[in-house]
Amino acid sequence: VITLTPLSPDKSSMDGKWKKKKGPAPPRPIPPKRQVKKLPRKAVNTELLDIEVKQQELERQGVELEKTIRELCEKSDKERAEAGLDNNDRDSLGLEAEDLIVQLFELVNEKNELFRRQTELMYMKREHRLEEEHADIEHQIRVLMAKPDALRTSEDKDLEDKLIERLMTIVGQRNEIVDCLEMDRLRELEEDESIEIHFGEYAAIKPDDDELKKKKEKKKKEKKKK
């Protein structure tokens, strides 16, 4: 006895009924989190501590210099008064007093340099924290955007909006740091020029104009490079 089996239907003539149904599309790959260059925090904190110690020492030296200068001026005023001279007509405070005033200007200039470096390091630490937060929030946003639309919830949408808002705030804060650094640079140039002017007025031997110009140009180049 021969048993007949039905023929398999022609799949090509079934209008696609026998075609394999497609599954859901695979999720979009999530890009890796952007790596932020590490900041040598220990070295930065050590330098900040050293700056603070140096500032305290310079402050002590400055107080001693001011006290000595005041004593010399009072002594000179007393001697001129005893000699019947008018203190308002004198054109010099004396070589010793002027030399100490020059030292005081140099000390103030050194304190300014330390303060500027301290400010720069503080800005550096703050900018690095913002950059790390920027990379973290950026990654969270990309994870949410990689989620299929069918699986996205209203909570995901609200979270994404908050993350984008925070990201814009961080960008604004980082721009503020750049603006502050530029303002500090311009103010430092003005302070340097002012100190040079007063330094020349009180110095017993004024430096040549060419020497002042060379120093000024050198400082401007250093500021620009920094």
Side-chain angles (χ1 to χ4, degrees), residues 15-189:
D15 297 329
K17 292 181 181 180
W18 288 82
K19 291 182 179 180
K20 185 178 180 181
K21 292 183 179 180
K22 292 183 178 181
R28 283 171 283 186
I30 300 174
K33 182 179 177 180
R34 178 169 58 89
Q35 296 297 319
V36 178
K37 185 178 179 180
K38 291 185 177 181
L39 181 71
R41 297 182 181 274
K42 186 176 181 180
V44 171
N45 292 332
T46 301
E47 186 176 355
L48 285 171
L49 183 60
D50 292 341
I51 289 175
E52 186 177 354
V53 173
K54 291 178 182 178
Q55 285 175 332
Q56 293 175 356
E57 175 61 22
L58 291 175
E59 184 70 24
R60 185 190 63 79
Q61 295 179 15
V63 171
E64 293 180 356
L65 278 174
E66 290 176 357
K67 181 181 178 181
T68 305
I69 292 170
R70 191 180 305 109
E71 291 174 351
L72 288 174
C73 290
E74 290 174 354
K75 181 181 178 181
S76 177
D77 290 344
K78 184 178 180 181
E79 292 176 351
R80 289 177 63 86
E82 291 175 352
L85 300 174
D86 187 0
N87 291 326
N88 294 325
D89 293 337
R90 66 182 177 184
D91 57 357
S92 174
L93 297 175
L95 292 178
E96 186 177 1
E98 288 185 351
D99 182 57
L100 291 178
I101 291 174
V102 170
Q103 293 181 35
L104 185 60
F105 275 123
E106 292 176 345
L107 188 145
V108 170
N109 192 32
E110 188 176 353
K111 283 179 62 178
N112 286 340
E113 290 295 332
L114 288 175
F115 177 76
R116 293 166 186 174
R117 178 57 179 168
Q118 184 183 45
T119 303
E120 182 183 356
L121 291 173
M122 295 301 294
Y123 277 136
M124 189 187 302
K125 289 179 65 176
R126 184 185 175 196
E127 201 278 337
H128 187 262
R129 286 196 299 268
L130 290 174
E131 189 175 2
E132 287 182 330
E133 187 178 1
H134 189 154
D136 184 58
I137 292 179
E138 191 177 57
H139 184 255
Q140 292 183 53
I141 292 174
R142 289 180 176 178
V143 171
L144 289 173
M145 294 179 65
K147 205 172 184 180
D149 294 338
L151 301 178
R152 288 170 62 88
T153 63
S154 58
E155 288 79 7
D156 292 335
K157 178 60 177 174
D158 293 339
L159 178 58
E160 183 179 335
D161 292 339
K162 291 180 181 179
L163 290 174
I164 292 176
E165 184 179 355
R166 175 57 186 165
L167 190 65
M168 298 303 296
T169 302
I170 293 174
V171 172
Q173 291 176 344
R174 294 181 67 180
N175 290 336
E176 287 177 3
I177 292 178
V178 175
D179 294 339
C180 288
L181 288 173
E182 178 63 18
M183 291 175 62
D184 288 346
R185 185 186 68 84
L186 296 176
R187 187 180 68 252
E188 289 168 8
L189 291 175

